[in-house]
């Protein structure tokens, strides 16, 4: 099976700190590949390099078979790479619908309309509303984003990614702060979503990870110390040692 | 053009660059520590010049005039910080720009009201009014040479302050981590007022020093302020070293441009149109320099690369 | 929202009623003041696109205002002296026709905005502010040291330029032209705020990372915003020069940039009618306080300081409440 998204020997240092230290990984068609690791392990830094907002010091990123290491964020997004941020990056002054519309607008690739009102743009609106529907935010479409709860903002992050109808998702802790019920809902949602496009999932919520992941990679101090199925990772001695520590 | 003339122009460029450095150093320090863009820095320059001209007129002492300029501007700066500026640290740049623009209006019109619209004059002191014979047969005004000296002394002083004193350590800590040094018990409000007053004092000193070779008038500060911005853009925000290099580059480009460009145009056209073309384009030279640096290195020569 | 609409309606009403009253009371000077306010408002509407919608704190909008002014001055001075602007390689003559002047003003200031934007949008934040201010100063010094078109003294035009079918020398008719432009541009601005471009630009101001992540390019959006913004301010500059029949480097000065920004801020940034309220207020206090004291700008400074420190949302914000 070919990789949709692949990193080869990525390296990134901040001063003396090796935040990414020779990471290679792949995301295959149809799978959820979870990345776990303690705080500060370099998960978000890795994602930033995969999505193009941070240039690696060395190594390559390829997406859909193309080397995109030198491509900026927007170009990768247009190719079909959708990202959710660990801390919500949403237009807080705008409504929920407007945020979803922005995603649809990005996906359309045609922002250069200066007169026609977006509100009457059927195509964009349909796409945006479908995404809001899918994450369960349809009723809140006219609420200002700043007035949403934390969990609702996390959902909106996912909805914006959905509007892109991407070839791959990269999600940075989408469950963070969702609460049990919210996590459970999102878990079942992602289980369906992976049929549309594979998901690279950074997550601290282990229940969700063990329920969803086809493969798990464990990142510690910028290195991947193990990659495998849920069972393999559970059994892996190095992981128990490094990650679970006390149970080793 | 003779080499001697050229050497004189280089000295002139250094002199104006060094004065720009006094302005730019304060601006960049204030931005680095407090994250504030201060348009009213030019007003403090003006305050220094007016204070110096007034005191020199009353007492006839140039040194006293300089001391008053420095102290007066520092005091005005401290007052400005306490009354207005500290409300702006948490605001966005737009609010900072507008509030300090408002301060320009208040300072400029207030000064016009107090001193009238006619320029004041500040004479160079007798003991610096002659010329100095430099090696290579260059005669150069002693006062301007002294300005270069003062600028270099201030540069060294700032370096020393930054690298070798407790205040410097606190300033650098303040640039990096506000909460941390507050948690360590440093009175951050006082530190900010002090840094602002320091920058203001430097601006006032520059105003007084330049006031003796140009006229002292309302509105004298803003063109210098904008040049200091050019310096900072070239040098990189927050970097004192960048401010020094940028200031010298701008000073030299400005002076040499106005001498060399007309010569250059003479190769193509007659003398009179070469002079007009030369002056028109030399007025743009430093901005072209700035544009060039921007293309090459958008965050300036010594700015943090992100 | 309804209160803001009411306020907007009142402002539009005032734009018609004040000159109508002045006409009836035979107060031509009031019409001139109103024209000044309308032109300033137009310049500020231009800035508001970059500033309010795009979040670009441009302190160099006088460049565009001045270029518009000089477009008028240069074309009209050649026409009034019967000298062509250039003869080789092809003949270009001056003109006294407003529509042509407007076209040139819009194109020239839009082009300048594009060039300045290309350079200044490589940076952001304070750098952007300083750079726009610096380019403004460059244009100012260029205009003062370039003697062909009056240098520091500027250019006088003896007779106001013409518009087919109107007598532009009659104050109320020239006012009508300016008002028509203002209303047209406000309508376009309103459409712009609701368009795809407006949505994207608005988001690029708030969360550029998100905008990139959906495949759009914030600097390109901002560049286009700056060009539109500069072109509108340039048009206002052409009208302003025509109002005064005079253009000088003052139109390019940093004070002018500051004033245009003051119109926007006092009125209410990112509000459709903010620039109108702000420019109107400015012209009023300029007229009233200017009559009381030569040093009226001290009061302007104090008002501005108070608005910035305590009155979020400017006049429109204070009257109509914060945006929901
Ligand atoms: N721009 C930066 N400059 C310097 N250090 C950075 C930068 N970004 C991240 N780091 C450091 O790199 C390390 C990895 O950070 P990263 O955010 O990738 O961790 P993470 O695995 O996502 O952690 P978390 O689970 O808390 O989200 C951390 O020590 C962090 O402090
Ligand atoms: Mg993280």
């Amino acid at each position: 099976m070919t990789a949709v998204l692949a990193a080869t020997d990525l390296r990134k240092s901040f001063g003396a700190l090796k935040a990414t230290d020779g990471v290679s990984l792949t995301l295959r068609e149809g799978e959820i590949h979870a990345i776990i690791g303690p705080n500060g392990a370099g998960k978000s830094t890795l994602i930033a390099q995969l999505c193009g907002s941070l240039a690696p010091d060395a190594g390559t990123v390829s997406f859909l078979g193309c080397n995109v290491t030198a491509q900026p964020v927007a170009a990768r997004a247009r190719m079909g790479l959708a990202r959710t941020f660990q801390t919500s990056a949403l237009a807080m002054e705008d409504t929920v619908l407007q945020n979803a519309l922005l995603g649809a607008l990005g996906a359309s690739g045609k922002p250069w309309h200066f007169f026609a009102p977006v509100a009457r743009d059927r195509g964009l609106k349909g796409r945006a509303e479908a995404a809001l529907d899918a994450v369960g935010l349809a009723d809140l479409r006219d609420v200002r984003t700043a007035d949403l709860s934390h969990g609702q903002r996390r959902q909106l992050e996912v909805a914006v990614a959905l509007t892109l109808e991407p070839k791959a998702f990269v999600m940075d802790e989408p469950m963070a702060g969702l609460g049990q019920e919210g996590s459970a809902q999102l878990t079942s949602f992602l289980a369906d979503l992976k049929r549309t496009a594979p998901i690279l999932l950074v997550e601290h919520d282990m229940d969700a990870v063990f329920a969803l992941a086809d493969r798990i990679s464990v990142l510690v101090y910028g290195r991947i110390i193990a990659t495998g199925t849920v069972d393999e990772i559970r059994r892996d001695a190095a992981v128990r040692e490094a990650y679970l520590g006390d149970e080793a | 053009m003779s080499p001697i003339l050229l050497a004189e122009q280089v000295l002139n460029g250094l002199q104006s660059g060094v004065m720009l450095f006094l302005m730019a150093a304060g601006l960049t320090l204030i931005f680095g520590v407090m994250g504030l863009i201060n348009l009213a820095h030019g007003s403090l320059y003006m305050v220094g010049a007016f204070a110096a001209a007034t005191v020199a007129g009353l007492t006839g002492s140039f040194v006293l005039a300089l001391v008053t300029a420095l102290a007066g501007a520092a005091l005005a700066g401290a007052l400005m910080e306490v009354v207005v500026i500290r409300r702006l640290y948490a605001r966005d740049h737009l609010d900072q720009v507008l509030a300090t623009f408002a301060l320009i209006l208040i300072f400029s019109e207030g000064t016009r009201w107090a001193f009238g619209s006619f320029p004041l004059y500040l004479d160079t002191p007798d003991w610096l009014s002659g010329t100095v014979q430099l090696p290579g047969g260059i005669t150069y005004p002693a006062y301007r040479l002294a300005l270069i000296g003062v600028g270099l002394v201030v540069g060294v002083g700032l370096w020393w302050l930054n690298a070798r004193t407790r205040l410097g350590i606190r300033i650098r800590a303040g640039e990096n981590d506000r909460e941390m040094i507050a948690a360590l018990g440093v009175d951050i409000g006082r530190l900010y007022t002090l840094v602002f007053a320091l920058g203001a004092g430097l601006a006032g000193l520059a105003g007084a020093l330049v006031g003796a070779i140009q006229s002292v008038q309302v509105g004298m500060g803003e063109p210098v302020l904008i040049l200091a911005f050019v310096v900072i853009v070239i040098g990189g925000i927050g970097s004192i070293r960048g401010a020094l290099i940028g200031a010298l580059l701008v000073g030299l480009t400005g002076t040499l441009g106005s001498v060399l460009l007309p010569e250059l145009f003479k190769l193509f056209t007659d003398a009179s149109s070469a002079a007009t073309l030369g002056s028109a384009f030399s007025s743009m030279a430093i901005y072209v320099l700035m544009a060039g640096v921007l293309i090459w290195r958008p965050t300036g020569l010594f700015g943090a690369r992100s | 929202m309804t209160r803001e609409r009411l306020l907007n309606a009142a402002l539009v009403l005032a734009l018609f009623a004040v000159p109508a009253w002045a006409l009836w009371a035979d107060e031509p000077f009031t019409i001139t003041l109103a024209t000044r306010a309308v032109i300033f408002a137009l310049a500020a509407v231009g800035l508001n696109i970059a500033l309010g919608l795009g979040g670009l704190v441009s302190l160099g909008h006088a460049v565009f205002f001045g270029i518009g002014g000089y477009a008028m001055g240069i074309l009209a001075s050649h026409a009034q002296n019967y000298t062509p602007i250039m003869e080789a390689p092809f003949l270009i003559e001056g003109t006294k026709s407003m529509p042509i002047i407007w076209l040139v003003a819009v194109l020239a200031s839009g082009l300048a905005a594009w060039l300045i934007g290309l350079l200044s949008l490589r940076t952001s934040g304070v750098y952007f502010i300083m750079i726009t201010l610096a380019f403004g100063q460059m244009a100012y010094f260029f205009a003062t040291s370039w003697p062909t078109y009056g240098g520091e003294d500027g250019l006088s035009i003896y007779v106001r330029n013409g518009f087919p079918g109107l007598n532009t020398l009659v104050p109320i008719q020239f006012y009508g032209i300016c008002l028509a432009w203002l209303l047209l541009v406000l309508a376009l601005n309103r459409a712009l705020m609701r368009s795809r471009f407006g949505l994207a630009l608005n988001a690029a101001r708030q969360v550029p990372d998100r905008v990139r992540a959906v495949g759009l390019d914030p600097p390109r959006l901002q560049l286009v915003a700056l060009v539109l913004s500069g072109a509108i301010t340039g048009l206002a500059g052409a009208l302003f020069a025509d109002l005064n029949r005079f253009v000088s480097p003052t139109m390019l000065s940093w004070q002018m940039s500051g004033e245009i920004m003051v119109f926007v801020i006092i009125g209410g940034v990112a509000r459709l009618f903010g620039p109108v309220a702000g420019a109107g207020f400015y012209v009023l206090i300029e007229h009233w306080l200017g009559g009381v004291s030569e040093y009226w700008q001290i009061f302007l400074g104090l008002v501005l300081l108070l608005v910035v420190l305590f009155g979020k949302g400017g006049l429109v914000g204070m009257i109509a409440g914060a945006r929901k």
Side-chain angles (χ1 to χ4, degrees):
Chain A
M1 198 180 278
T2 59
V4 177
L5 180 66
T8 319
D9 199 23
L10 281 184
R11 286 168 197 279
K12 180 79 193 176
S13 300
F14 298 113
L17 175 77
K18 290 180 176 168
T20 307
D21 191 7
V23 169
S24 300
L25 61 77
T26 57
L27 178 66
R28 299 179 195 142
E29 201 63 69
E31 76 168 346
I32 291 185
H33 185 161
I35 308 223
I36 61 174
N39 287 103
K43 303 181 296 291
S44 297
T45 306
L46 175 62
I47 286 196
Q49 293 167 81
L50 292 175
C51 296
S53 54
L54 193 66
D57 297 336
T60 55
V61 177
S62 60
F63 181 48
L64 306 175
C66 306
N67 182 344
V68 294
T69 318
Q71 296 290 323
V73 177
R76 298 186 204 191
R78 282 194 294 269
M79 287 172 71
L81 187 61
R83 168 189 195 178
T84 71
F85 291 83
Q86 182 173 358
T87 40
S88 301
L90 299 164
M92 289 295 167
E93 294 171 17
D94 293 351
T95 64
V96 168
L97 180 62
Q98 280 171 321
N99 272 285
L101 280 169
L102 178 70
L105 173 56
S108 79
K110 294 195 176 71
W112 310 114
H113 294 203
F114 299 90
F115 302 116
V118 175
R120 275 190 237 130
D121 194 322
R122 289 251 188 79
L124 284 194
K125 254 183 116 177
R127 201 161 171 162
E129 282 171 345
L132 291 179
D133 242 349
V135 300
L137 283 178
D139 295 340
L140 299 177
R141 39 172 277 179
D142 294 323
V143 174
R144 217 170 71 124
T145 307
D147 299 333
L148 292 183
S149 72
H150 175 78
Q152 288 163 340
R153 287 184 202 166
R154 306 301 305 156
Q155 287 172 298
L156 183 52
E157 276 280 323
V158 175
V160 177
L162 287 181
T163 58
L164 300 182
E165 295 178 9
K167 305 268 185 351
F169 291 96
V170 176
M171 300 190 177
D172 198 350
E173 302 197 22
M175 318 266 179
L178 274 194
Q180 249 181 345
E181 195 192 339
S183 299
Q185 268 174 16
L186 190 56
T187 302
S188 70
F189 179 71
L190 294 186
D192 285 338
L193 184 63
K194 77 171 181 186
R195 281 196 284 271
T196 353
I199 305 171
L200 189 77
L201 179 68
V202 169
E203 193 45 73
H204 273 304
D205 182 333
M206 286 306 149
D207 291 338
V209 168
F210 289 150
L212 283 171
D214 300 289
R215 287 191 300 153
I216 299 177
S217 291
V218 184
L219 191 70
V220 180
Y221 292 126
R223 289 165 173 265
I224 291 186
I225 58 167
T227 299
T229 63
V230 172
D231 285 336
E232 284 162 3
I233 292 298
R234 275 200 171 124
R235 272 185 268 115
D236 192 293
V239 173
R240 300 188 76 89
E241 160 96 43
Y243 193 66
L244 304 173
D246 49 359
E247 289 178 32
Chain B
M1 192 183 342
S2 75
I4 291 186
L5 203 63
L6 192 67
E8 269 173 25
Q9 294 304 334
V10 168
L11 285 171
N12 280 342
L14 283 178
Q15 179 258 305
S16 72
V18 150
M19 289 299 107
L20 273 177
F21 168 66
L22 294 189
M23 283 291 279
L27 275 175
T28 209
L29 194 66
I30 289 169
F31 185 81
V33 178
M34 288 97 100
L36 177 97
I37 173 167
N38 179 22
L39 296 187
H41 209 68
S43 298
L44 297 164
Y45 178 90
M46 176 185 73
V47 165
F50 273 89
T54 310
V55 170
L58 290 176
T59 67
S61 161
F62 189 73
V63 173
L64 197 62
L66 283 190
V67 173
T68 321
L70 209 151
L75 199 71
L79 199 71
M80 195 192 262
E81 201 272 349
V82 170
V83 177
V84 178
I85 301 289
R86 55 171 56 173
R87 294 168 213 281
L88 298 171
Y89 296 141
R91 301 292 193 88
D92 59 17
H93 294 317
L94 177 60
D95 282 359
Q96 297 176 350
V97 161
L98 288 160
T100 54
F101 179 72
L103 286 176
I104 294 183
L105 294 179
I106 295 168
F107 268 84
S108 294
E109 290 307 299
T111 310
R112 202 193 303 281
W113 173 71
F115 290 89
S117 295
F118 292 103
L120 305 184
Y121 291 95
L122 176 62
D123 291 322
T124 51
D126 291 336
W127 42 279
L128 279 176
S129 59
T131 56
V132 180
Q133 200 69 36
L134 294 176
I138 305 161
T139 17
Y140 197 68
Y143 184 74
R144 285 175 182 263
L145 207 59
L147 290 192
I148 298 179
V150 170
L152 296 182
V153 167
V154 169
V156 171
L158 278 177
W159 169 82
W160 174 78
L161 180 83
N162 197 32
R164 294 289 151 89
T165 66
R166 279 242 310 253
L167 178 65
I169 294 172
R170 291 179 175 183
I171 289 176
R172 272 177 295 145
E175 282 174 355
N176 295 327
D177 195 339
R178 240 171 257 197
E179 282 80 28
M180 191 59 204
I181 75 156
L184 291 177
V186 175
D187 181 345
I188 198 122
R190 273 240 318 269
L191 178 69
Y192 283 6
T193 311
L194 205 64
V195 170
F196 198 86
L198 176 68
L202 289 179
L205 180 65
L209 290 171
V210 175
I213 40 180
Q214 289 165 7
S215 56
V216 174
Q217 56 188 334
V218 173
M220 66 188 289
E222 282 69 33
V224 183
L225 171 86
I226 298 173
L227 281 185
F229 280 160
V230 174
V231 165
I232 292 178
V233 168
I234 289 175
I237 300 183
S239 161
I240 301 263
R241 189 164 48 136
L244 181 62
I245 306 286
L248 295 180
L249 275 176
V250 168
L252 286 171
T253 309
T255 3
L256 292 182
S258 62
V259 196
L260 295 180
L261 278 175
E263 297 286 320
L264 187 71
F265 281 110
K266 262 187 217 156
L267 302 177
F268 306 104
T269 53
D270 59 290
S272 81
S273 41
T276 47
L277 282 172
S279 84
F281 282 95
S282 68
S283 69
M284 297 169 67
I286 52 171
Y287 304 99
V288 174
L289 173 72
M290 178 183 83
V293 170
L294 274 177
I295 292 169
W296 178 45
R297 205 173 262 194
T299 52
L301 298 178
F302 296 94
R305 234 86 64 77
S306 61
Chain C
M1 224 54 215
T2 42
R3 250 165 93 183
E4 182 166 347
R5 279 212 186 143
L6 225 61
L7 178 66
N8 293 352
L11 283 169
V12 174
L13 192 70
L15 287 174
F16 285 97
V18 169
W21 169 82
L23 197 63
W24 172 78
D26 197 21
E27 299 252 8
F29 183 64
T30 305
I31 298 181
T32 303
L33 275 188
T35 313
R36 192 174 157 83
V38 164
I39 293 172
F40 280 162
L42 185 62
V45 170
L47 176 61
N48 205 18
I49 291 177
L51 182 68
L53 220 51
L56 300 170
V57 184
S58 159
L59 252 183
H61 256 54
V63 174
F64 315 125
F65 198 63
I67 286 177
Y70 272 98
M72 173 304 218
I74 291 171
L75 288 170
S77 73
H78 281 283
Q80 81 185 4
N81 300 334
Y82 302 102
T83 49
I85 294 175
M86 64 184 229
E87 284 168 303
F90 41 79
L91 182 72
I92 299 182
E93 300 211 61
T95 176
K96 296 280 291 175
S97 154
M98 281 190 188
I100 300 176
I101 288 170
W102 294 337
L103 185 69
V104 173
V106 163
L107 291 178
S109 49
L111 181 69
W114 183 70
L115 286 172
I116 290 179
L118 275 185
L119 285 165
S120 55
L121 285 169
R122 295 171 64 84
T123 66
S124 59
V126 232
Y127 277 107
F128 184 85
I129 300 173
M130 293 182 185
I131 290 162
T132 48
L133 189 59
F135 280 125
Q137 198 74 345
M138 169 170 106
Y140 174 80
F141 281 129
F142 184 77
T144 48
S145 56
W146 183 255
T148 316
Y149 295 107
E152 260 177 281
D153 302 331
L155 270 175
S156 283
I157 303 302
Y158 306 130
V159 182
R160 187 170 288 152
N161 297 301
F163 187 85
L166 290 178
N167 181 356
T168 55
L169 299 178
V170 180
I172 193 74
Q173 299 205 14
F174 184 61
Y175 177 83
I177 291 175
C178 297
L179 180 61
W181 267 122
L182 178 63
L183 294 177
L184 177 69
V185 169
L186 280 171
L188 294 179
N189 190 9
R190 183 168 174 274
L192 187 81
M193 288 162 96
R194 294 159 185 223
S195 70
R196 286 184 175 210
F197 176 74
L199 179 76
L201 182 64
N202 198 21
R205 169 173 53 85
Q206 301 173 57
V207 271
D209 281 341
R210 161 58 64 203
V211 173
R212 277 190 205 97
V214 300
L216 301 172
D217 191 14
R220 267 180 75 191
L221 295 163
Q222 287 162 341
L223 182 60
V224 172
L226 199 63
V227 169
L228 292 174
S229 169
I232 293 170
T233 302
L235 173 68
L239 291 171
F240 190 68
D242 234 332
L243 172 69
N244 302 324
R245 277 166 279 137
F246 177 63
V247 52
S248 76
T250 316
M251 278 180 78
L252 293 158
S253 65
W254 66 268
Q255 289 97 331
M256 192 71 235
S257 293
E259 275 166 31
I260 300 176
M261 189 173 275
V262 167
F263 304 151
V264 176
I265 301 304
I266 290 195
V269 72
R271 304 289 189 124
L272 184 60
F273 274 77
V276 181
F281 179 79
Y282 180 90
V283 170
L284 274 184
I285 66 162
E286 178 187 44
H287 180 60
W288 281 337
L289 290 180
V292 176
S293 161
E294 195 190 330
Y295 308 106
W296 69 279
Q297 291 211 330
I298 294 183
F299 300 104
L300 177 67
L302 287 173
V303 168
L304 179 60
L305 202 55
L306 291 177
V307 168
V308 174
L309 290 181
F310 306 110
K312 276 301 212 185
L315 287 176
V316 175
M318 283 188 252
I319 297 171
R323 235 164 341 160
K324 77 153 204 85

